[in-house]
Amino acid sequence: MLAYIVRRVLLAIPVLLGLLVVTFFLVRLIPGEPCSAMLGERASAEACEAFNIRYGLDKPIPVQLVVYVQNILQGDLGFSLQSSRPVTQVMVDRMPLTIELTSTALVIAVAVGIPLGLLSARRHNSLVDVGTMTFANIGVSMPVFWLGLLLQYVFALLLKDTFLALPPSGRLSAGVIPVPFYEVWGWDVDTDTLGGGALEFIGKHVIFNSLITARWEVMWDAIRHLILPAVALATIPLAIIARITRSSLLEVLSRDYIRTARAKGAGERRVVAKHAFRNAMLPVVTIVGLQLGLLLGGAVLTETIFNLSGVGKTLFEAITARDYAVIQGFVAVIASGYVIINLLVDISYGWLDPRIRYE
């Protein structure tokens, strides 16, 4: 197992480097120059020259690439052209929200999608099966931006005077201010250090931070603001997981050992739970891992619609402003997370199916 993990990590290194190089060139193919985007279309040639020299954009593209890769290998993601702040600091500010949003959406998709798929497979060709798959097909077909606007209209406008009313946008209500756990506990933290930056990053996860500091009003307000964007983001993955669960379970239920278990008198619930479920979960686990990329991609639209300052909205703003360092830095971190998730998915196969060996 250890040798397999080491091999996968070593193989991931050239993949990540290749992705960084491709991203480096793709962002420079975006029409327009950073100087014009940041200083305006009427910026003088002298101002643009000084801007390019300041951020190293005056050097030839191959030289910029070498410098960028060298900095990445040293853990330096560069500085934002928009704010002149380190990209790592921008990540500390923006990534916690996206992590909360995508993990909540993934939990909703898995918690609802798998039971729906199981129910549909057990009631194959029944009215329940038809209704469930119809719901799944509608879920796959609905664009995130349309569903987000529809949820805002229903729960923030039509139901605004009921107990079902939910906030249409933003992370927290006005006047609700989260306090990092290290400040609540009186810790003296230097956020400029690696350890202090890690604590600051953890402290910006509003729900987790308010939970460990027992600030229930902040936690409840954060959850209420997160419900609509998480549901909008989770709909497509939920529908895909439900469909894959159904088809995978139906395939397993048609195998010989399942018929043998039924012939021996095992009840249908026992057959599904003990003999079919784990084998049927292999493709489902793969799909769940792949949905992480879909959720991060959907977060761009979701965060923009619900006015959430996370990775998606930051990437949108960075692309608009030709902020190369921010785009490249966030892509590097997201790609690394994607590789790690896929590795965990592969490792989980051995637990789900003992016949799988990694050595």
Side-chain angles (χ1 to χ4, degrees):
M1 173 68 77
L2 180 60
Y4 171 78
I5 295 174
V6 172
R7 275 201 313 272
R8 284 295 303 271
V9 172
L10 292 176
L11 289 173
I13 293 175
V15 173
L16 292 175
L17 287 176
L19 183 60
L20 292 177
V21 171
V22 171
T23 304
F24 177 88
F25 285 107
L26 284 179
V27 296
R28 283 159 176 77
L29 292 176
I30 301 174
E33 295 292 332
C35 173
S36 301
M38 298 302 302
L39 303 182
E41 295 291 339
R42 298 185 178 180
S44 64
E46 293 78 9
C48 282
E49 183 180 0
F51 179 89
N52 291 335
I53 292 174
R54 178 182 179 184
Y55 291 103
L57 300 176
D58 59 319
K59 299 181 176 65
I61 295 296
V63 175
Q64 293 184 40
L65 175 61
V66 172
V67 172
Y68 172 65
V69 173
Q70 288 176 341
N71 291 337
I72 282 284
L73 294 177
Q74 297 173 7
D76 181 7
L77 300 179
F79 286 80
S80 169
L81 303 182
Q82 290 177 286
S83 60
S84 297
R85 298 168 61 206
V87 175
T88 51
Q89 187 60 50
V90 178
M91 288 183 178
V92 168
D93 290 341
R94 299 298 181 91
M95 285 199 73
L97 170 58
T98 299
I99 291 174
E100 287 186 332
L101 175 60
T102 53
S103 15
T104 303
L106 189 61
V107 168
I108 293 173
V110 172
V112 179
I114 291 179
L116 281 181
L118 292 175
L119 178 63
S120 182
R122 291 192 61 187
R123 303 291 183 87
H124 184 46
N125 288 333
S126 69
L127 187 60
V128 173
D129 183 22
V130 174
T132 302
M133 287 303 100
T134 301
F135 169 77
N137 289 329
I138 293 174
V140 171
S141 305
M142 282 193 296
V144 172
F145 64 88
W146 181 83
L147 179 59
L149 294 173
L150 180 63
L151 291 174
Q152 287 176 326
Y153 175 72
V154 172
F155 288 94
L157 185 62
L158 295 183
L159 302 177
K160 63 179 179 179
D161 296 325
T162 70
F163 71 96
L164 295 175
L166 291 170
S169 62
R171 185 68 187 96
L172 293 168
S173 300
V176 178
I177 302 175
V179 181
F181 66 92
Y182 49 83
E183 292 186 10
V184 174
W185 296 344
W187 293 2
D188 185 15
V189 174
D190 182 6
T191 56
D192 292 329
T193 64
L194 180 61
L199 291 177
E200 182 185 13
F201 180 76
I202 296 172
K204 288 185 179 293
H205 290 75
V206 178
I207 296 177
F208 176 76
N209 184 79
S210 56
L211 176 64
I212 62 177
T213 56
R215 299 196 64 191
W216 312 119
E217 71 286 352
V218 176
M219 185 176 73
W220 174 239
D221 189 71
I223 291 174
R224 292 183 70 248
H225 279 80
L226 203 61
I227 291 175
L228 292 186
V231 169
L233 187 58
T235 302
I236 293 178
L238 186 157
I240 294 173
I241 291 171
R243 293 172 65 180
I244 294 296
T245 303
R246 174 185 179 272
S247 60
S248 178
L249 188 59
L250 285 175
E251 180 184 354
V252 172
L253 289 174
S254 65
R255 293 180 180 173
D256 292 340
Y257 68 89
I258 297 295
R259 286 195 291 268
T260 302
R262 287 170 173 160
K264 289 182 177 181
E268 189 64 21
R269 182 174 298 179
R270 180 178 175 82
V271 167
V272 172
K274 185 175 180 180
H275 300 284
F277 181 73
R278 284 179 61 173
N279 289 330
M281 284 301 102
L282 286 175
V284 177
V285 169
T286 303
I287 290 298
V288 170
L290 293 175
Q291 292 312 302
L292 176 62
L294 176 63
L295 290 174
L296 290 173
V300 176
L301 290 174
T302 306
E303 291 176 3
T304 302
I305 292 169
F306 289 93
N307 193 28
L308 299 172
S309 298
V311 170
K313 190 176 180 182
T314 302
L315 278 175
F316 175 79
E317 295 170 350
I319 293 171
T320 304
R322 315 300 189 273
D323 197 340
Y324 295 159
V326 172
I327 300 172
Q328 294 165 171
F330 274 91
V331 168
V333 171
I334 292 171
S336 301
Y338 203 89
V339 168
I340 293 172
I341 291 295
N342 283 325
L343 176 60
L344 294 176
V345 168
D346 287 347
I347 293 173
S348 69
Y349 288 168
W351 175 78
L352 288 168
D353 190 346
R355 295 172 297 177
I356 295 177
R357 294 294 180 265
Y358 297 100
E359 304 298 341

